[in-house]
Amino acid sequence: MLQGQEAHAAEMERTFIAIKPDGVQRGLIAEIISRFERKGFKLVAIKLVVPSKEFAQKHYHDLKERPFFNGLCEFLSSGPVLAMVWEGEGVIKYGRKLIGATDPQKSEPGTIRGDLAVVVGRNIIHGSDGPETAKDEINLWFKPQELVSYTSNAEKWVYGAN
Ligand code: IDP
Ligand code: MG
């Protein structure tokens, strides 16, 4: 059985989170980051980028048959996106909980989209929907050397000794 630091490390996950151009333009960067930070998740990569439309199409390739695909890719590439990788136990699934439902009208109050967005086409944030997409999206948006491995001083308080 794994113990202490080893057990903790084995359960760590990473997810790709992006604040879309509407969230950046509306001045919601600090508000959104603080929700992940206060929860106890750890930021391991961050950069502000304006993706090309081709890049946006790669990011959303799963949705290429959907009627809103073109508009969505135009929108993602229309301005700065804050791309991030967050690490923590259960961060992929819980990150989606913090974000809320795809349609802000169906997102619970207390979630990012529930509190801060109104329509599905301007729902301010992206989060990976599972372990495979998390891996693919992190690889698409970041080079390995852009991911910073470090021990946060808060970890022993967030997770306890074991
Ligand atoms: P998600 O962002 O909650 O994972 P997805 O189904 O993966 O939702 O869709 C990706 C993005 O496409 C959504 O966040 C939203 O911005 C946009 N989108 C999804 N459904 C619609 C729609 O019906 N109309 C317009 N945009 C949509
Ligand atoms: Mg999705």
Side-chain angles (χ1 to χ4, degrees):
M1 213 177 106
L2 297 176
Q3 295 203 323
Q5 286 291 68
E6 251 181 285
H8 174 171
E11 284 153 19
M12 281 301 145
E13 288 180 354
R14 287 177 171 180
T15 192
F16 174 70
I17 300 291
I19 304 179
K20 300 182 195 179
D22 47 347
V24 173
Q25 294 290 351
R26 290 179 52 202
L28 295 172
I29 288 174
E31 166 74 37
I32 292 170
I33 286 182
S34 79
R35 292 182 181 218
F36 282 83
E37 210 173 30
R38 285 183 304 179
K39 168 73 175 165
F41 294 140
K42 181 167 77 175
L43 184 63
V44 296
I46 184 165
K47 64 182 173 186
L48 195 62
V49 286
V50 182
S52 65
K53 189 165 175 197
E54 292 66 37
F55 189 94
Q57 288 165 342
K58 268 191 209 161
H59 172 74
Y60 279 129
H61 68 275
D62 280 357
L63 300 170
K64 63 176 181 293
E65 309 300 339
R66 309 295 290 274
F68 55 83
F69 179 68
N70 187 56
L72 176 63
C73 295
E74 292 253 333
F75 176 64
L76 195 75
S77 58
S78 70
V81 171
L82 191 77
M84 296 176 278
V85 178
W86 285 87
E87 184 181 285
E89 228 175 274
V91 70
I92 300 173
K93 209 167 174 189
Y94 208 90
R96 295 278 298 189
K97 269 195 189 183
L98 288 177
I99 289 170
T102 301
D103 181 352
Q105 297 284 346
K106 297 187 177 124
S107 300
E108 295 299 322
T111 64
I112 292 167
R113 286 170 174 164
D115 288 349
L116 306 170
V118 182
V119 299
V120 70
R122 294 294 182 271
N123 63 5
I124 70 171
I125 181 166
H126 168 85
S128 305
D129 63 8
E132 281 307 309
T133 36
K135 199 147 43 97
D136 292 349
E137 290 171 358
I138 290 168
N139 287 336
L140 176 66
W141 288 80
F142 288 96
K143 301 187 187 87
Q145 63 268 30
E146 291 176 309
L147 305 174
V148 182
S149 287
Y150 64 102
T151 304
S152 152
N153 197 38
E155 267 162 71
K156 59 178 181 287
W157 300 105
V158 172
Y159 294 100
N162 292 297

